[in-house]
Amino acid sequence: MKILYYPGCSSEHLARDLYLSIETLASSLGVELEVLSDWNCCGAREIEEAPEGVGLFLAARNLALAQGEELLVACSLCFHNLKRAQDLLRKEAGFRARIAELLKEEGLELSLKTPQILPLTEFLARLDLSKFRSAGFRGLPVAVYYGCFLSRPCPTDLEALEKALSAVGYPVVPTTLKSHCCGGHLPRTDSPVIKNLCQRLIFEAHQKGATGLAVACPVCKLNLEIYGGPSFPVRYFTQYLGLALGLSPSWLGLPEEE
Amino acid sequence: MEPGLLLEDILQKLAEEGYQISKRTFLYYVQLGLLPKGKRKGQKKGGVKFYYPTWTLERLKAILELKKKGLKLKEIQERLPKKAPSPPLPKTFSQAERLKDCNACGICGAICPVYEEMDLPPWRLIQAWEEVPDSLPSANTPWVCVGCYLCETRCPQEIPIVEFLRFLRREGLPPGRRWRKHPEWSRIFWSLLEERGRSFDFGAVHAYQIRVLGPAEDQRLLLRLPGPEGEKEVTAPSKIKGLPALKRALERARGWK
Amino acid sequence: MRTKVFLCECGGNISENLDLKALKKALASSGVEVLRHPFLCSPEGQAFFEARILPGEAVLVGACSPHLHGPTFKTLSKKLRVRAFHMVALREEAAWIGKEGAYQRALRLLKGALSALPYYQAPDLKEFPITKALLIIGGGIAGLSAALKASEKELPVYLVEREAFLGGKAVFLDRLYPRLECASCLVSPRLSALSHQKNIRLYTLSRVLQVGGRPGAYEVTLEERPRYVDPERCHGCGECLRVCPVNPPALTMDPPHPVPRAPVIHAARCLHFKGEGCSRCKEVCSRKAIRFEENPRLHRLKVGGIIVATGFKPYPVEKIPYYGYKRLPGVITLWDLEKAFCQKEALRGFDGGPPRKVAVVHCAGSRDRRHLSYCSEICCGLALKAGILLRERLSAEVYHFYLDLRLKSPEGEALLRRAKEEGLRFIRGQVAEISEVPLRPEDEGRLTLLAENTLQPGQKVWAVDLVVLVPGFVPEGGSEEVASLLGLCPDRFGFFSPREEKTAPVETLRKGIWIAGAASGPKDLSESVLSGEAAALEALLFLEKSAFLADTEWVDWEEERCGRCWLCVEVCPFKALRVSPKGLKVEEALCCGCGLCASACPSGALRIKPFPRQAYLQTLEALANAP
Ligand SMILES: Cc1cc2nc3c(=O)[nH]c(=O)nc-3n(C[C@H](O)[C@H](O)[C@H](O)COP(=O)(O)OP(=O)(O)OC[C@H]3O[C@@H](n4cnc5c(N)ncnc54)[C@H](O)[C@@H]3O)c2cc1C
Ligand code: SF4
Ligand code: SF4
Ligand code: SF4
């Protein structure tokens, strides 16, 4: 199976471990990730203070480059930016026309229908992972955390993480805060507030009997690791999946001793 | 009456947009009459400060542009209009009608994860806007908002709170007030993005840590970059192929009216 | 035929926007006599009207809407034996729309009406006999009060209750807002009075299956589900409840004052009906009251009028996931609290212990577009009552989270004062979330509640042991079905709309059908009783007469033109039209001549007789051609 894939900027730095685990996982599942050629940054949180056109253009260029039915996106913020722009461009003909004008210079054209922007969580949940589970693997209970952008304002399947993780043998502990906020970009203003938020998330997972927290978003993971308290493991759900498939920790961006 | 802009605000704002000008030059221009005089205002904590009308910013930009083109100060003086420009039309929030439904129930404040960081909760900005339409707040709220959409999904009146805050944020810094750290971050981010077409969080965080926060312990955490062959050195992303076109497009999108 | 036109100034309401002088001149030029009065509906105005009309004349009144003073002038005209009468709403249709163009609008309306007058034929008055019996649907406090009042006139009253016991919500209340008097002390005497009235026939566990006939002579079919206990034999000792092996028992007799005083067997839980051969209750009953062999029964009733008192219920707050109702221990509703107080059950907080800190959450789902967009008006008072009782009985710290405090009457204010004196705290802010996961470590073991104190910036995290949610109210389940059986109009929230909110609050658009109690919108006990008795009195006034008079022969059906699409049947809001083997049938007692069917008919097969087609064409022409 082959799928068009938008890695996003954090794949190259902050979330190298996430992307490493995605690549490793994909190859052992027999999925070929076809990286979108010449993709650009989605503008992250910073597009909010730029004029609307800037954000729309950044997203639209990627969407126009993506010639295919589906575009796989791993980072939740990229997902949100691409999705929001796609919705807005579908709704507002005015924006659409002006963006089309800008895209022309590179000979690009925007399609209204495609691609469907597919979050990694949903993609992995729809594969039948159970048959890849390594024999004798015993998963310890984990809790999941979706964070904001997979939940709002364009909700994705909020059972996807549970489905994927339980398919490979992890008991998933239900929590109520799985769609709450970790504080997002706030760390850059050194706020103590974020500590409370992250510790609360960890507290719930811990209290309800989880041994770790499976997250989907690089920013969430960063926040939770820095502010959530020292002793509770926070990993990407792809890393958890990889371990259940018997893949080597170092290939999943995890320290060797795991 | 709005208090106007402080000299530091103006220079900061210009720096964000890539203009270079020193405090001395600024004051020299004022002396020449190229720029308006500041208004003296006593401070509560003692001392005085000078506030310049907001249009100073635009005028100064125009001067610097003309200077780039090689014009002499005298020629510039002749070209620029003598009087203060009429104030720019207020940019109106397109969904302003829907703000009227706000009951001031406080749910948006209560659910906001970063409430404690905000000078005012979102609904107070809505109420202020209702009092004086098109007024831009001097509260930090729009800049603190992390865009989690919790408020909007809970608001009993289904008010587009996040869009409203985005609007306020886009409309620029409130006069007389600086949100000190944020613009710096933003500037670093955008310049790195435009250099390559991809953002370079590592570089940005690094630059930000050094420039604004000073060396911090957390850097250690941020710099950990594991790989199958052990820790790897961070390198900046390579440039995308369509970079020149992308830059031009961004420039044009910025200029949209 | 001489025609007189009366123009009313309506105390400036009309004359300020409309040049009546010019209007008078324009009309007079076409040969009619035009008279003007500042207040035609006033006693002087009516005398003026009477004094100027001669028998056999045609009369046109230009004043307010015919819905308001139509009957006034119509009755006077009838008395004066005028040949044709018509009324034009100059105020609503010309003056109030605005000064601009008002004159033109008025002139066209009047000219149109004038050209129709010569064709006018008065509808026939007919007599319809009335069956002297009353049906009341819903045995809550409103239905009950209506039944008691109506039964004083010795006519048969049938009271139909869906549940096994009478009394509705009121029997489970503990203390009453605003005076905190004991609810059962007030409600139970009414319940006992009811069982002593010979002419009231009770049907519990029953519902209305079918309604036929016409106003004054309805034919109603009821279905009564089996109780499996004979209330005539049973004397309510409760022995059977104690021997039932099922937990909770398959027999119940929940209300503190059960009427009828006999338990009900829930077949779904009962072992006998599961084929397990249990008959312990039957064996223990000394009165031989248990009857497993009972079957559903149908009853056919003939009644002259119907009162609908199906009541309301609290909004199901489990639909608000972030309040945690039915998920978190220690989160209850006001209704749960009321029942717990009433049945003397101990209250437990989040940690299982007695609650020390309690939050009372007003507007749980109310004034929220995703749930109830309206304010239920009575719940603030009920919440306040609950807060005071919690404080007095549990010595708990009580926090009220409210958006606006909507208390009425001086007693309401007094109660608020008492609450403050007793140390209840009031925080203006709607609650955003209730969670079992603490935001501050010290709050572990309590419920964390997020609400901003909008009057005093700063605090938004509160930790409590018990949360009492106070939801607003929605119509009782099944009222849609009742509405469609009776042809009633529910408002957009499902409550029954009265004919006129302010001046006819218990009447409906249907003759011979009235509404009472919380079925027409949230009401407290006294308002429910009030409207129940008002409905009963209206019903008695109607049923007292042997017959009623109604204008008939409104609609004429031309068989040859009719294309059988039956659009008319569909649009008639009064259900006056039906299809019979012989064609379209008009139920004369139901038709009020609104004319909707005639305007819906695509083939022009329907005519409103008092105003024949010719009259309409003339009117249209006048409307289109007037200068
Ligand atoms: C928690 C709570 C606390 C309250 N506290 C107070 C207070 O302190 N003071 C105060 O004044 N008021 C109080 N009230 C309000 C009071 O209970 C109502 O005003 C009153 O119950 C309304 O009476 P009702 O007969 O109109 O409706 P209901 O009590 O709802 O009775 C309607 C009856 O009709 C029956 N019914 C419904 N549909 C059908 C059908 N299709 N066929 C046959 N039967 C049907 C129902 O089973 C029910 O028995 C409180 C209400 C609640 C819920
Ligand atoms: S939640 Fe909505 S209605 Fe309530 S204060 Fe905020 S914006 Fe206003
Ligand atoms: S979107 Fe912004 S204002 Fe709204 S709750 Fe989230 S952080 Fe607060
Ligand atoms: S009465 Fe009070 S609690 Fe009820 S909906 Fe109105 S404001 Fe809310």
Side-chain angles (χ1 to χ4, degrees), chain C residues 555-610:
Chain C
V555 187
D556 197 25
W557 178 58
E558 273 181 71
E559 191 170 357
E560 310 77 67
R561 275 179 175 254
C562 172
R564 268 53 175 191
C565 68
W566 307 133
L567 256 182
C568 49
V569 179
E570 229 169 273
V571 302
C572 176
F574 299 93
K575 296 207 166 164
L577 298 178
R578 73 195 154 79
V579 186
S580 78
K582 282 194 227 119
L584 190 68
K585 187 106 175 61
V586 183
E587 188 56 69
E588 296 196 316
L590 293 175
C591 172
C592 67
C594 71
L596 277 177
C597 52
S599 37
C601 179
S603 23
L606 290 171
R607 236 160 29 95
I608 295 296
K609 278 199 263 177

Side-chain angles (χ1 to χ4, degrees), chain C residues 1-2 53-58 80-84:
Chain C
M1 179 179 63
R2 274 188 64 85
I53 294 175
L54 298 173
E57 285 182 336
L80 299 164
R81 283 178 288 128
V82 307
R83 209 198 72 69

Side-chain angles (χ1 to χ4, degrees), chain B residues 101 104-105 112 123 155-156, chain C residues 369-370 428 430 452 454 460:
Chain B
D101 290 327
C105 71
C112 179
W123 63 271
C155 170
Chain C
R369 292 190 191 194
R370 294 184 178 88
R428 191 198 171 280
Q430 222 164 347
E452 191 187 344
T454 58
K460 69 155 203 177

Side-chain angles (χ1 to χ4, degrees), chain C residues 277-455:
Chain C
C278 172
S279 60
R280 275 175 239 201
C281 52
K282 191 164 182 169
E283 284 151 23
V284 80
C285 178
S286 58
R287 313 269 302 193
K288 308 240 170 312
I290 307 284
R291 291 188 312 204
F292 289 127
E293 62 287 358
E294 242 179 37
N295 282 316
R297 277 180 297 168
L298 292 184
H299 303 277
R300 294 207 164 73
L301 310 174
K302 288 199 157 122
V303 295
I306 302 172
I307 293 177
V308 180
T310 47
F312 64 3
K313 64 173 184 202
Y315 182 73
V317 265
E318 56 274 26
K319 286 194 186 164
I320 312 173
Y322 44 85
Y323 281 175
Y325 182 57
K326 294 204 171 157
R327 178 167 59 80
L328 298 177
V331 178
I332 63 173
T333 64
L334 182 65
W335 181 232
D336 299 330
L337 181 74
E338 205 77 55
K339 278 189 160 171
F341 276 154
C342 177
Q343 293 172 336
K344 313 254 175 319
E345 281 165 20
L347 287 168
R348 308 214 168 279
F350 177 64
D351 62 357
R356 283 152 293 147
K357 238 173 154 180
V358 184
V360 180
V361 177
H362 293 227
C363 292
S366 292
R367 307 171 72 186
D368 184 333
R369 292 190 191 194
R370 294 184 178 88
H371 300 280
L372 293 186
S373 58
Y374 53 89
C375 162
S376 288
E377 290 174 32
I378 62 167
C379 21
C380 273
L382 311 185
L384 188 61
K385 164 188 83 171
I388 291 180
L389 295 179
L390 284 164
R391 173 101 192 121
E392 291 177 356
R393 295 186 182 170
L394 309 180
S395 320
E397 268 177 66
V398 179
Y399 295 80
H400 282 260
F401 295 88
Y402 70 99
L403 185 47
D404 295 297
L405 270 183
R406 302 203 162 158
L407 306 170
K408 48 186 174 181
S409 78
E411 283 106 330
E413 287 309 313
L415 199 65
L416 179 59
R417 199 187 150 95
R418 171 163 163 191
K420 286 182 179 161
E421 274 164 7
E422 293 186 11
L424 274 73
R425 293 266 317 271
F426 291 86
I427 293 128
R428 191 198 171 280
Q430 222 164 347
V431 173
E433 183 163 291
I434 297 162
S435 168
E436 78 278 29
V437 190
L439 201 69
R440 305 175 298 207
E442 65 268 29
D443 296 336
E444 206 183 326
R446 295 187 139 174
L447 290 164
T448 289
L449 185 146
L450 299 182
E452 191 187 344
N453 186 348
T454 58
L455 300 181

